[in-house]
Amino acid sequence: MLRYVLKRLLVAIPTLFVIITISFFLMHIAPGGPFNMEKGIPPEIKANIERVFHLDEPVLSQYLRYLNNLIHGDLGPSYVILNFSVAELFAKSLPVSLWIGSLAMLFSLVAGCAMGVVAALRHNGLIDYIVVTLATAGSTIPTFVTAPLIQLVFGLTFHWIWIGGWHEGALAALIGPVITLALPQLATVARLMRGAMIEALHTNHIRTAKAMGLSDYSIVIRHAMRGALLPIASYAGPAAAGLLTGSIIVESIFQIPGIGRSFIDGALNRDYTMVMGTVIIIAVFTIVFNLVSDILYAVIDPRVRYD
Amino acid sequence: MKKPVLSLKNIKVNFDTMDGKVEAVKGANIQVNAGETIAIVGESGSGKSQMMMAAMGLLAANGKATGECEFEGRNLLAMGKAELNTIRGRKISMIFQEPMTSLDPLYTIGNQLMEPIKHHLKFDAAAARKRAIEMLELVKIKEPERRMRSYPHEMSGGQRQRVMIAMALANNPELLIADEPTTALDVTIQAEILELMADLQHRLGMAMIFITHDLGIVKRIAKRVYVMRKGEVVEEGDTKAIFANPKHEYTKALLEAEPTGRKAPPVAGAPVILSGEDIQVTFKIGGGFLGSPPIELKAVDHVSVSLKQGQTIGIVGESGSGKSTLARALLRLLPSRGALNFNGQAITGFDKQTMRPLRKQLQVVFQDPFGSLSPRMTAGQIITEGLIVHEPAMSAAARDARAVQALEEVQIDPALRNRYPHEFSGGQRQRLAIARAIILKPKVVVLDEPTSALDRQVQKQIVDLLRDLQKAYNLSYLFISHDLAVVRAMADHIMVMKDGKLVEQGTPDEVMLKPKQDYTRRLMAAAFAS
């Protein structure tokens, strides 16, 4: 198993390299640059600034310079938020996104699995229909609709939550973005869990458990649910990578200073180093959480062995 | 001694389906006495399993049972789940047909064996573990301590069924219900499991209900037998008496369904039509990017075959012995080493293109009459498809005439040729598969377990049909089967395979009556013990 993990991490290095290379050149193909202001600045000043940041060099040597810095752990300075390095900016925004993302993931997994199991046990019953309806709604209604609705109802009408801002991570500020982020995931998890449970409850080994007179708890939780968690494990890894690296829409609507916003701001302002930094973070999270998914899969199912 | 353990009185089982109510069991009465073994015999769909499922509270959600299942003075059908769970797995336990899937793949054998012991007998972990190991020893699992830590996928089907038996008997039940416990197993394993069950019944003294479609098993294991058909018990009584003197028409038909007769060898000097010399087929398992090198598996290991015109070679062996692979290699359906010859022409190394003109003379009929016919084509389209490929010049009218002729030959009403496969029964579908092969007027037909998925009576009809067709067209058959009774009736030469190697060959009488090899002897003993 350890060998397998090391092997996967080793394969991740060339993968990352390809991602970095493609993103770097794609970004430089896009017209404009970080210092092309609307009003324009005197050309000699612009040239000066560009020389300081080596933007006057050919793209290839900029690329090699970036790679060299990256290998030494330097993500470079931000071109837009001056006097700050990308690493310093991430130190502030990444924890915010991670915190909101993990809360949303936790909530959607726990609530989604519970809903899925209950629906499967009442297959074709009233609760099942309610869960299916909610799950369909959750997957189809976009976050830019649910977020303002939550702000309107719970913020403006009942005054239970902040409608925006970070407020040092206060609970009232977290609820809105966490729920908004969690809803679509929760819906998918519930749907997956329901399907997997219905299937699991019809397997022959569940029939054996019933024939042996085991308790409902053992049949549902110990025998059916463990198997039904397999598709959840495959889904949760990539989903977690997406949630933890911030959501542009949710962070914009709730005015959360997370990494999702720095990505979109960076891209719009041609803040090259900021965009590259975000791409690397998202890539690393995606690779790591896919690996976590695969490991979880093997932990649940002894038939899966990596070596 | 004649105290009944379980009596089923006027049991009816209904299923609510899309097509309305289906009556699976129509008022059956069955009784099993303490320490007694009874058998319930019948073909698939006779309701024999559903009746016992109903007694155990295991019917599907759309199923409903009425009547009375009396156990210790109480009616099982009237019990709530909690009360039923004090009996299921404790006083009555059940094992099933599918040993491969009846254990939870995610838990160790030990874990699964201990769970019902802890649950019903309130043993602590140490005591349950001790009991579980005892049970594994009882069902003759080697190295029980180590096996406690194994997962089901690390065991063979026979071993898994032993574990199921261990689990079912761990709480000393008064009754064991066995639903076709050996059907999915190879014939030698079947014999071992049956012997084990008879032995355990003798030692532990529980009553046993054996559900089966196999009359050989009934004869071997049960004192009394109930014959079921279409949800009703048509005959019951002492096994010996019923076998000697069946009263009901259906029982008689069932007993006569054993394929009989022998095939005469091909005429002297008949030419060799298909031969393979020193055939080897290897499969690579595993390996890949950054992986360990692949493992080579020898599926067929230096086997030579020579099939004469009008001959039937029976290839027998357990699953995984390489018998189907050998046949496929002979037809060049998969790559192999060794010289191949068909009709005097060397076909060694022929590829898809070069084989195509010969394909119409080399046909195959597969085991699964459900999966091997396209569900979206009519019977007529299915059987004439080969003609379109091999005789493209033929007019549609001529093709249709050939289809009518082929259907008549397999005794299916040609008027049914516009129907789809799902509208035919299993036996009829196998007839369609045969029609599809013979319409091309082949010289060689490979029959890969063509009767294994069918009930005994239907099996006999298909065997008769195949023999008639062989006589009419001087066909040569390669007949692959694990069912030795059918092979005996069909083949004039038998090859016994094990682990990809040819173990023994000869005429049916040589192989079956005077087997030279130990493996063949065991195979025959298991198949014809009764």
Side-chain angles (χ1 to χ4, degrees):
Chain A
M1 186 66 143
L2 189 69
R3 254 196 65 190
Y4 172 77
V5 173
L6 288 176
K7 205 163 81 183
R8 283 279 296 264
L9 291 176
L10 216 66
V11 175
I13 293 171
T15 312
L16 265 179
F17 172 75
V18 171
I19 292 170
I20 290 168
T21 307
I22 293 175
S23 325
F24 191 92
F25 287 104
L26 272 180
M27 200 170 49
H28 281 84
I29 290 170
F35 304 108
N36 293 8
M37 312 285 168
E38 259 178 54
K39 282 181 185 163
I41 38 178
E44 51 276 24
I45 296 179
K46 192 182 166 206
N48 250 335
I49 301 175
E50 291 192 335
R51 191 159 51 248
V52 172
F53 290 120
H54 306 287
L55 290 173
D56 54 342
E57 291 175 15
V59 178
L60 191 65
S61 68
Q62 287 186 45
Y63 167 70
L64 293 174
R65 182 186 302 281
Y66 183 79
L67 275 189
N68 186 38
N69 288 342
L70 194 63
I71 290 164
H72 295 94
D74 182 6
L75 288 168
S78 168
Y79 294 152
V80 174
I81 306 164
L82 295 171
N83 301 324
F84 280 94
S85 73
V86 170
E88 282 169 337
L89 291 169
F90 280 163
K92 280 192 200 154
S93 60
L94 190 57
V96 172
S97 289
L98 283 183
W99 182 230
I100 291 183
S102 13
L103 286 178
M105 197 65 214
L106 192 71
F107 176 60
S108 54
L109 280 180
V110 173
C113 286
M115 281 168 69
V117 170
V118 173
L121 290 175
R122 298 276 176 274
H123 187 30
N124 289 335
L126 181 66
I127 295 178
D128 188 23
Y129 289 126
I130 294 173
V131 169
V132 171
T133 311
L134 287 180
T136 313
S139 328
T140 48
I141 301 175
T143 31
F144 58 76
V145 175
T146 44
L149 270 177
I150 287 173
Q151 287 175 323
L152 193 69
V153 176
F154 299 108
L156 290 176
T157 313
F158 294 114
H159 299 288
W160 291 345
I161 61 169
W162 292 101
I163 57 165
W166 174 234
H167 303 280
E168 303 306 317
L171 185 64
L174 285 175
I175 290 175
V178 167
I179 301 273
T180 313
L181 263 185
L183 276 180
Q185 308 299 336
L186 189 154
T188 311
V189 170
R191 205 163 37 77
L192 281 177
M193 193 69 193
R194 174 182 172 271
M197 269 309 270
I198 288 172
E199 201 178 306
L201 287 169
H202 283 99
T203 52
N204 287 336
H205 65 263
I206 293 298
R207 184 185 59 190
T208 305
K210 285 183 188 166
M212 291 309 297
L214 300 182
S215 63
D216 280 351
Y217 172 83
S218 171
I219 290 171
V220 173
I221 308 292
R222 239 175 79 85
H223 291 286
M225 202 171 138
R226 181 163 167 188
L229 281 174
L230 286 171
I232 304 289
S234 327
Y235 172 78
L243 280 189
L244 296 178
T245 48
S247 149
I248 296 149
I249 297 171
V250 171
E251 288 181 4
S252 302
I253 296 177
F254 285 99
Q255 292 295 304
I256 302 289
I259 195 177
R261 264 174 77 194
S262 38
F263 191 32
I264 195 84
D265 290 346
L268 291 175
N269 297 323
R270 300 286 183 274
D271 192 347
Y272 293 152
T273 42
M274 195 70 201
V275 173
M276 285 308 296
T278 325
V279 165
I280 292 170
I281 285 188
I282 292 176
V284 167
F285 268 82
T286 307
I287 290 169
V288 169
F289 276 95
N290 272 305
L291 180 58
V292 169
S293 245
D294 290 346
I295 293 172
L296 271 181
Y297 207 97
V299 168
I300 299 174
D301 190 341
R303 285 167 297 185
V304 179
R305 280 285 171 263
Y306 305 117
D307 41 34
Chain B
M1 190 61 212
K2 275 274 176 185
K3 199 177 103 235
V5 183
L6 181 75
S7 358
L8 308 187
K9 290 171 194 158
N10 196 23
I11 297 293
K12 291 180 183 165
V13 179
N14 295 308
F15 289 95
D16 272 324
T17 69
M18 305 260 264
D19 304 325
K21 215 168 222 175
V22 174
E23 228 179 2
V25 183
K26 304 167 183 165
N29 295 296
I30 277 172
Q31 182 179 317
V32 55
N33 297 322
E36 179 193 39
T37 301
I38 64 160
I40 305 175
V41 67
E43 298 187 340
S44 47
S46 61
K48 57 193 194 300
S49 289
Q50 292 308 329
M51 183 171 59
M52 297 322 297
M53 290 284 189
M56 291 290 278
L58 294 174
L59 284 179
N62 62 341
K64 202 177 157 6
T66 60
E68 205 182 325
C69 289
E70 199 187 302
F71 179 81
E72 293 183 340
R74 289 181 291 171
N75 181 7
L76 294 178
L77 293 183
M79 283 183 192
K81 212 197 266 173
E83 194 183 357
L84 192 58
N85 276 346
T86 62
I87 293 174
R88 294 196 287 199
R90 173 69 190 88
K91 292 179 171 169
I92 306 178
S93 51
M94 186 162 182
I95 61 172
F96 303 94
Q97 183 174 1
E98 305 88 352
M100 301 312 273
T101 53
S102 288
L103 292 165
D104 192 330
L106 306 182
Y107 292 93
T108 60
I109 298 303
N111 193 321
Q112 294 185 62
L113 272 174
M114 284 158 64
E115 195 181 357
I117 301 172
K118 286 195 272 191
H119 180 75
H120 290 292
L121 302 182
K122 310 293 172 217
F123 277 19
D124 63 19
R129 202 184 134 72
K130 197 164 155 268
R131 176 75 181 147
I133 292 174
E134 267 172 40
M135 290 313 296
L136 286 180
E137 277 166 1
L138 195 65
V139 297
K140 300 191 177 109
I141 294 268
K142 286 182 192 115
E143 301 179 76
E145 307 250 351
R146 188 176 69 80
R147 276 309 187 188
M148 290 284 281
R149 290 190 302 273
S150 294
Y151 287 96
H153 70 273
E154 294 164 336
M155 302 181 120
S156 68
Q159 285 174 316
R160 289 188 217 187
Q161 199 60 294
R162 283 171 194 270
V163 170
M164 278 298 295
I165 295 170
M167 191 193 279
L169 298 182
N171 294 333
N172 275 326
E174 278 154 48
L175 172 64
L176 174 67
I177 302 169
D179 186 358
E180 306 252 13
T182 61
T183 306
L185 302 171
D186 273 326
V187 58
T188 50
I189 313 289
Q190 240 176 48
E192 287 171 16
I193 297 283
L194 281 178
E195 199 180 307
L196 173 74
M197 292 185 72
D199 176 50
L200 289 175
Q201 198 269 337
H202 188 69
R203 279 161 68 177
L204 305 175
M206 74 276 182
M208 212 151 69
I209 298 179
F210 221 96
I211 303 169
T212 184
H213 68 279
D214 188 335
L215 290 166
I217 291 177
V218 176
K219 227 189 288 182
R220 217 179 300 180
I221 204 157
K223 260 196 92 62
R224 280 195 308 127
V225 59
Y226 291 83
V227 182
M228 277 190 79
R229 187 185 191 211
K230 293 181 178 169
E232 282 165 11
V233 174
V234 294
E235 189 160 359
E236 62 173 281
D238 184 74
T239 308
K240 274 191 199 130
I242 285 189
F243 272 80
N245 185 19
K247 298 219 164 44
H248 195 275
E249 282 307 310
Y250 178 71
T251 317
K252 282 181 198 161
L254 214 54
L255 285 170
E256 280 162 14
E258 185 93 347
T260 48
R262 293 286 197 281
K263 185 188 171 299
V267 288
V272 171
I273 188 95
L274 180 67
S275 69
E277 227 164 286
D278 218 16
I279 298 173
Q280 299 163 62
V281 181
T282 47
F283 293 122
K284 282 188 177 132
I285 300 173
F289 183 59
L290 288 177
S292 41
I295 301 161
E296 280 214 342
L297 181 88
K298 284 184 185 158
V300 177
D301 198 0
H302 300 279
V303 177
S304 298
V305 183
S306 164
L307 178 67
K308 296 195 185 85
Q309 192 158 22
Q311 188 179 34
T312 301
I313 296 184
I315 307 178
V316 301
E318 302 188 338
S319 49
S321 60
K323 48 195 196 300
S324 291
T325 312
L326 172 64
R328 266 159 228 210
L330 281 168
L331 297 192
R332 287 227 39 88
L333 288 170
L334 45 82
S336 62
R337 270 172 287 172
L340 295 175
N341 236 294
F342 171 66
N343 212 8
Q345 181 186 4
I347 57 168
T348 318
F350 268 35
D351 62 12
K352 243 175 143 176
Q353 247 62 40
T354 43
M355 273 309 285
R356 185 161 295 145
L358 304 176
R359 284 271 174 247
K360 64 178 272 207
Q361 299 172 37
L362 294 164
Q363 289 293 307
V364 193
V365 175
F366 295 101
Q367 172 175 6
D368 179 7
F370 296 87
S372 56
L373 304 176
S374 167
R376 284 173 196 82
M377 289 165 76
T378 64
Q381 285 170 334
I382 289 170
I383 59 175
T384 54
E385 199 182 16
L387 286 177
I388 297 174
V389 175
H390 291 290
E391 291 175 40
M394 190 182 277
S395 71
R399 265 205 312 273
D400 198 52
R402 285 277 285 273
V404 170
Q405 192 196 343
L407 285 172
E408 275 167 355
E409 270 168 331
V410 297
Q411 292 147 30
I412 285 188
D413 182 0
L416 303 181
R417 66 186 180 283
N418 290 325
R419 294 196 180 176
Y420 288 90
H422 71 267
E423 296 171 87
F424 293 93
S425 70
Q428 284 177 314
R429 267 183 262 204
Q430 207 54 300
R431 286 172 193 269
L432 289 179
I434 294 169
R436 169 169 66 178
I438 62 152
I439 198 170
L440 295 168
K441 307 204 184 303
K443 290 200 160 61
V444 174
V445 182
V446 169
L447 303 159
D448 193 350
E449 305 260 11
T451 60
S452 300
L454 305 172
D455 280 326
R456 265 283 184 219
Q457 279 179 293
V458 184
Q459 218 170 58
K460 188 181 179 177
Q461 295 161 6
I462 297 286
V463 166
D464 289 341
L465 171 68
L466 288 169
R467 283 201 284 219
D468 292 347
L469 288 171
Q470 180 167 42
K471 264 184 219 138
Y473 296 104
N474 205 11
L475 292 171
S476 307
Y477 288 148
L478 272 178
F479 188 82
I480 302 164
S481 184
H482 68 272
D483 188 337
L484 291 160
V486 178
V487 174
R488 181 172 57 182
M490 281 285 296
D492 54 69
H493 185 87
I494 292 180
M495 299 171 71
V496 183
M497 286 188 73
K498 184 176 195 286
D499 300 330
K501 292 192 177 70
L502 179 67
V503 176
E504 183 164 357
Q505 62 178 330
T507 64
D509 284 343
E510 280 167 7
V511 172
M512 293 189 168
L513 302 177
K514 287 171 278 175
K516 291 187 202 77
Q517 298 297 319
D518 190 43
Y519 175 73
T520 320
R521 218 165 291 140
R522 271 192 291 136
L523 205 64
M524 298 310 147
F528 301 113
S530 51

